[in-house]
Structure formats: structure tokens, C-alpha cells
Amino acid sequence: MSNRPQSVEAMAAKPVEVPAEEALVRRARLGDIAAFDLIVLGRLDRCYRLAWSILLNDADAADAIQDALLSAWRQLPRLRDPSAFDGWLNRIVANSARMARRGRGRVREIPVGSLGLDDDETVTEVRRDQPSTGGSPDRLADRDSIGRAFDRLRADERAILALHYVDERPVAEIARSLGIPTGTAKWRLYAARRALERALEAEA
Amino acid sequence: MTDRHLTDAQIASALRAHLPQTAPAGTRRALLGAVAVTEQQRPMLPVVGWLSNAGQDRRGGLALLLVVGLVALLAGLAAAGAWQAIQPRRVLAPQGGAGGWIAYDTPRRGFLSQIHLVRMGQPERAFITDPVNGATCPAFSPDGSLLAYAIGDEIVVSRFASDGSLGAEVARYPLKFTPHRCPVWSPLGDALAVFASTNRIEILRPGGSGTSLAIGDATMLDAPGIQLVWSPRADRIAAATDRGILIVPLDGGASTLLPDSTV
């Protein structure tokens, strides 16, 4: 039976001395699920964002992460360098999201909250409700335009932009995450950025 | 065409606003528990203790070989079983609508349900989602132009176009709604019946005043998984309960129980 604690989140919230990350990875490699959950806890949002950037909807992202976590747990004994865990986990998540994406066609997400009452307008586009983050209307409109342009990019372009601009991961780690050489990662990042600018121009 | 040039700060700011910063709380809990739940269902390997003694005598080599073989066999069986332990999405309440669309929902413990819209032979699909409560129980009206569904404790009726787009809401009814007791359209498409958690059948009329009529017998309609069926003339509703079939007239008359004679 597993010795997993009742609430990993509660455990992580306690102001106790947190073991070094690499030590946790080593414990997880020996079969300690609690250690694995602790490692994952701090990375879950980032993994979710990466999967979401590829799949563009919550449910598929959650499915992809579930598959990825189980796969990571099973493959963990084969990870030679614990310090490479982040890039290695990102790679599993990205692969899982790509696999999920292959098995489906085009997807539109219809958030219920966006539908007006007694209004004959028809919802025809993908929209995602976001909390207001402040700023002038022009700047918010710019952000919306960039967001829509982002959604039109290819999945690999979205993933590399999310890793670089939102998660601020170094290029070497992005390369490990996507399973490509560092030079290729640099070129793809540049190409993805240019694609975003072109998509934004088309949006305008 | 001249491309618009963006600064790093512009891209970072826009993508931070566009992409989810955190996984939904329910999803976080489900994901963190997923590995542990799955692994707990794997069979234990009782032969591990032998390994420390295996090399101490001349029979150790043979014992080790047997142990390794047994471990490999059990691990293979365990892996096959463990994959099944991941709770898959279940397809519930499939319903056909305009343009060949089929709607269904996928309840799963720890995850928000969402309504899926698919078409045979077409690559396109769509979701109806609610980030807080999820969306369940899709029901197309008989002519396929309206789609009723449940959001949390509300029944929502929206227009539905044959291209798969969801239009404006026609009606929204707050109920004490029990998930997966889904609304059922009348044969004429002018009313919905839904079993409410207050032991009542609610009749909802999207094209009318929007009021609801409470009917039923509290002692009869207490069974889980109750099913409602309209009569062809939409003047009665049959409710399948654990005590039999309850016939409920819509004119306010007395209900009739047809007992299950096999019990």
C-alpha cells in the first residue's frame, strides 16, 4: 500500500523545511508517491498551461496531464539526472498533449457564460473568459488580438511561445522539453514569434 | 503586407492574460491523486524479500532467475490492470439534434463535466463548458432547434443551429437539480420535464411564461436514477421508480402507480 498523505496540498502549505528538489526526485524514483506528488504540486500549473497551449481547452488539457503524470511516474526510474526533471517532465506533457491532439478534429469551445439572454446573435468563434487584468481599453484590445492570433498558430508554435514568454524557461530547457537541439529551439522560437506577428496582422 | 512587430513585453503580457495561470481546483485535486489511486490498485509483489538471500548459496542463481521471471510476469499483469484503473470519460445521455449533431456529456469524478457536440463523418467537434459548474444533460428539442442542458443547479435552454453553433439563451430555470437527472422534451417540443431533488417533477415551458408546475408524489419519487417518459399526446408523464411506474397526469389529477409485478 502507498504511504501517500491525506492531503498533499495541505502538506506543502506547512512551513516545514522542504527537502531539496533533487532529493525528492530520488525518493520518487525509489517509489515514494508522496515525494512524486510534492514534486508535481509545484509544477502542475505550468504543466497544465503547456498542455492547454497545445490543446486549447480545459478538459483535454486535464486528460493529457493525467496521462503524462502516470507516464512520468512509470518512467521516473529511468531518469538518470534528477536535475533534468523539469525539461523531462515538460517533454512528457508535450508529447501527451500532442498525442491527444492527433486523435481529434477541429474543436470549438463554447463557454456558457458568454451567451446573451434574449439575443439572436450566434456564437461562432472560440472564446475564453478571462478575468480582467487591468490596463487601458486599447491595451486590453491588443492583448485580446494577440490571444486570438496565438490560438491560430500551430500547436508546436504555441507551446514554444508559452514556455518562453509565460514560463520564462531557458532555451536549453525548452529544447529538452520539446526533444530538439538547442539551435533548433532558438530557430523555432524566432519562427513562432514571426508567425504570431503575421497572425496578428491578419487579425487586424 | 507589413508584419506588426511585437516587443517581448507585449507578447508576455498578452499570453499571461490569455493562458490559464492555474489549473482549476477540482482538476488539481484529481490530477494529484491520479497516480496514487492508480498505483494502489496494482498488485503487490511478494517476492521482493527473497532477493537479499538469493546469492548466499549455490541455489541462489536459480532462485534469482525464478524471482526475476515472476516479477516480470506480475509487473506485466499489473501494468495491464493499472491502465484500466484510470477512470475514463463515460459517454452519457447521447442526443441527436439538427444537422446530424450528437450531444453527450462526460461526467468524471474530480473533473468538470462538459457537453460534447460531434457529427458523424465530420472532423469538427465543439464543447459546451462552464468553468465553475460544468455542463451536463444535453437534450435536443424534437425539431432540433433548441438545446436544453444543466449548468450546476440550473436548466438552460439555448438556440442551436445546424452548423453546430449555440445561440442565445431562450430560458434559464434555477432548480434544486440533481446531476444526471436530465430534462426530457415533450413530443411537441413545448415543454421539458425534469425530476427535481425536491421529489417533484418540474414542467418547464420555454415558449410560455417560464413558470413551472410542481406535480408528483413525494413518497413515490424518491428513487435514484428515475426516468421520465412523456405520453405521445404530452398529457401524462410516466416516471420509472423503484416501486413501479408512476403515471402523472399534467392536469393536476391523481397519480397512478403501476406496481412492478416481478418484485
Side-chain angles (χ1 to χ4, degrees):
Chain A
M1 291 289 287
S2 161
N3 58 351
R4 185 174 181 273
Q6 288 297 311
S7 168
V8 175
E9 291 187 87
M11 187 173 155
K14 289 179 185 172
V16 295
E17 187 180 341
V18 178
E21 288 282 305
E22 290 185 21
L24 280 175
V25 174
R26 289 198 177 91
R27 277 171 49 191
R29 276 167 52 179
L30 295 173
D32 185 340
I33 294 184
F36 182 76
D37 273 356
L38 271 177
I39 302 165
V40 167
L41 182 62
R43 293 165 172 82
L44 195 58
D45 291 331
R46 204 169 67 211
C47 290
Y48 186 78
R49 194 158 46 241
L50 175 60
W52 200 95
S53 72
I54 293 171
L55 293 161
L56 297 179
N57 77 79
D58 292 320
D60 283 352
D63 277 353
I65 297 290
Q66 177 170 286
D67 291 345
L69 291 184
L70 194 60
S71 179
W73 168 253
R74 300 258 168 83
Q75 294 178 34
L76 194 54
R78 282 184 266 160
L79 176 66
R80 289 180 189 168
D81 178 8
S83 67
F85 182 83
D86 275 332
W88 176 81
L89 181 62
N90 281 347
R91 185 171 180 175
I92 291 175
V93 170
N95 284 341
S96 176
R98 285 193 198 110
M99 290 290 288
R101 196 168 179 279
R102 272 181 209 145
R104 61 170 222 204
R106 288 177 294 137
V107 176
R108 284 178 299 127
E109 183 174 340
I110 306 170
V112 171
S114 68
L115 303 173
L117 190 62
D118 294 327
D119 180 354
D120 280 339
E121 285 182 12
T122 297
V123 176
T124 56
E125 64 182 23
V126 176
R127 284 191 285 179
R128 179 174 175 77
D129 290 341
Q130 291 290 337
S132 169
T133 51
S136 69
D138 284 349
R139 290 184 65 184
L140 291 177
D142 270 358
R143 282 184 193 167
D144 284 348
S145 302
I146 295 172
R148 285 194 299 271
F150 176 84
D151 287 348
R152 291 214 302 268
L153 300 181
R154 291 189 294 117
D156 281 347
E157 293 170 337
R158 293 196 299 267
I160 201 166
L161 289 174
L163 285 168
H164 182 73
Y165 287 105
V166 182
D167 294 332
E168 300 177 341
R169 310 315 297 171
V171 173
E173 187 186 306
I174 291 174
R176 277 197 299 275
S177 300
L178 300 178
I180 54 180
T182 304
T184 307
K186 280 182 187 169
W187 183 86
R188 284 198 189 172
L189 182 59
Y190 171 78
R193 183 182 172 136
R194 294 287 295 147
L196 180 66
E197 288 170 343
R198 282 195 299 274
L200 185 61
E201 190 66 27
E203 179 76 23
Chain B
M1 189 190 306
T2 306
D3 294 344
R4 176 176 168 184
H5 293 288
L6 297 168
T7 65
D8 286 354
Q10 279 176 313
I11 298 175
S13 168
L15 295 190
R16 284 197 185 104
H18 183 65
L19 293 171
Q21 292 305 297
T22 58
T27 301
R28 286 176 68 88
R29 282 193 294 274
L31 288 173
L32 285 171
V35 170
V37 167
T38 302
E39 292 303 301
Q40 280 173 359
Q41 296 182 30
R42 299 177 85 168
M44 300 293 287
L45 303 179
V47 294
V48 171
W50 295 7
L51 290 171
S52 59
N53 297 324
Q56 289 182 359
D57 58 37
R58 298 180 67 179
R59 291 171 295 177
L62 180 59
L64 184 61
L65 203 61
L66 285 170
V67 165
V68 168
L70 191 55
V71 166
L73 177 64
L74 287 173
L77 292 172
W83 280 112
Q84 294 170 3
I86 301 173
Q87 193 184 15
R89 287 182 181 175
R90 285 184 300 138
V91 172
L92 280 190
Q95 294 272 323
W101 287 93
I102 295 172
Y104 60 90
D105 71 32
T106 55
R108 195 166 53 151
R109 188 183 60 207
F111 290 82
L112 286 175
S113 288
Q114 58 182 226
I115 293 172
H116 299 246
L117 292 161
V118 295
R119 256 197 303 194
M120 276 194 65
Q122 302 288 330
E124 188 183 21
R125 66 173 178 152
F127 297 126
I128 298 173
T129 64
D130 180 276
V132 177
N133 297 302
T136 57
C137 288
F140 283 111
S141 61
D143 68 358
S145 65
L146 298 174
L147 181 64
Y149 48 94
I151 299 291
D153 58 358
E154 292 183 319
I155 300 288
V156 180
V157 182
S158 294
R159 299 186 197 285
F160 184 80
S162 59
D163 65 356
S165 58
L166 202 61
E169 282 182 20
V170 174
R172 181 179 281 254
Y173 303 99
L175 290 174
K176 286 194 171 179
F177 182 72
T178 305
H180 305 304
R181 286 172 183 169
C182 302
V184 182
W185 284 96
S186 69
L188 298 176
D190 61 343
L192 287 156
V194 62
F195 176 65
S197 59
T198 49
N199 294 333
R200 297 184 307 175
I201 297 172
E202 302 280 350
I203 306 297
L204 315 172
R205 299 189 183 280
S209 63
T211 58
S212 65
L213 171 67
I215 55 176
D217 182 333
T219 63
M220 300 286 184
L221 301 180
D222 203 20
I226 204 162
Q227 291 183 338
L228 303 180
V229 180
W230 288 80
S231 66
R233 285 185 292 183
D235 57 347
R236 289 172 293 176
I237 288 175
T241 77
D242 60 351
R243 294 166 59 182
I245 306 292
L246 186 68
I247 308 295
V248 183
L250 266 65
D251 62 3
S255 303
T256 306
L257 180 68
L258 306 178
D260 181 356
S261 58
T262 63
V263 176

